[in-house]
Amino acid sequence: QVQLVESGGGLVQPGGSLRLTCAFYGSGFSIYNIYWYRQPPGKQREWVGYINSGGGTNYDDSVKGRFTISRDNAQNTVYLQMNNLKPTDTAVYYCSAVNTRDRSQEWGQGTQVTVSS
């Protein structure tokens, strides 16, 4: 059984930074690809980026160059470092884990990020 817990959200001014954490509880973390999604208020959930089991990353164009995803396999943790935040980054941020062997997918509960002056 896999459980994901996001943390690190909050209120930040435009141009500021936050680091979100996705803690993975369960076994086999190293074989999971981890995705970050976000859901802005009143909009559908959208993909932000991912880190695969080998450490490779990819990002949506809207966050490329500002957001960085990293993983610590020893700590079963994935980080989303967000710099130069904009009001349009305001959303509930979710992490999701996909098992590379059986393609099963789990979701966290989300953490709120608000960018406002």
Side-chain angles (χ1 to χ4, degrees):
Q1 185 75 14
V2 169
Q3 183 181 6
L4 303 174
V5 179
E6 302 97 333
S7 61
L11 174 64
V12 63
Q13 292 187 342
S17 298
L18 279 176
R19 189 178 78 162
L20 304 185
T21 298
C22 175
F24 178 104
Y25 296 95
S27 61
F29 175 69
S30 63
I31 68 168
Y32 281 79
N33 295 339
I34 307 296
Y35 297 78
W36 284 97
Y37 290 82
R38 65 186 181 185
Q39 186 165 15
K43 297 184 178 181
Q44 292 188 334
R45 192 172 297 187
E46 58 190 34
W47 175 72
V48 173
Y50 79 88
I51 186 164
N52 64 26
S53 57
T57 56
N58 196 15
Y59 303 91
D60 183 79
D61 285 346
S62 65
V63 306
K64 201 170 290 184
R66 300 188 298 121
F67 289 12
T68 303
I69 301 173
S70 60
R71 68 189 293 161
D72 183 341
N73 285 346
Q75 299 292 326
N76 284 10
T77 302
V78 170
Y79 303 99
L80 176 63
Q81 178 67 45
M82 305 185 295
N83 298 328
N84 190 22
L85 283 160
K86 305 175 181 180
T88 50
D89 295 317
T90 295
V92 178
Y93 283 73
Y94 300 88
C95 64
S96 175
V98 176
N99 186 309
T100 58
R101 294 178 183 174
D102 64 15
R103 309 307 296 176
S104 59
Q105 184 172 19
E106 303 292 337
W107 290 86
Q109 83 289 348
T111 186
Q112 175 71 47
V113 172
T114 302
V115 185
S116 175
S117 55

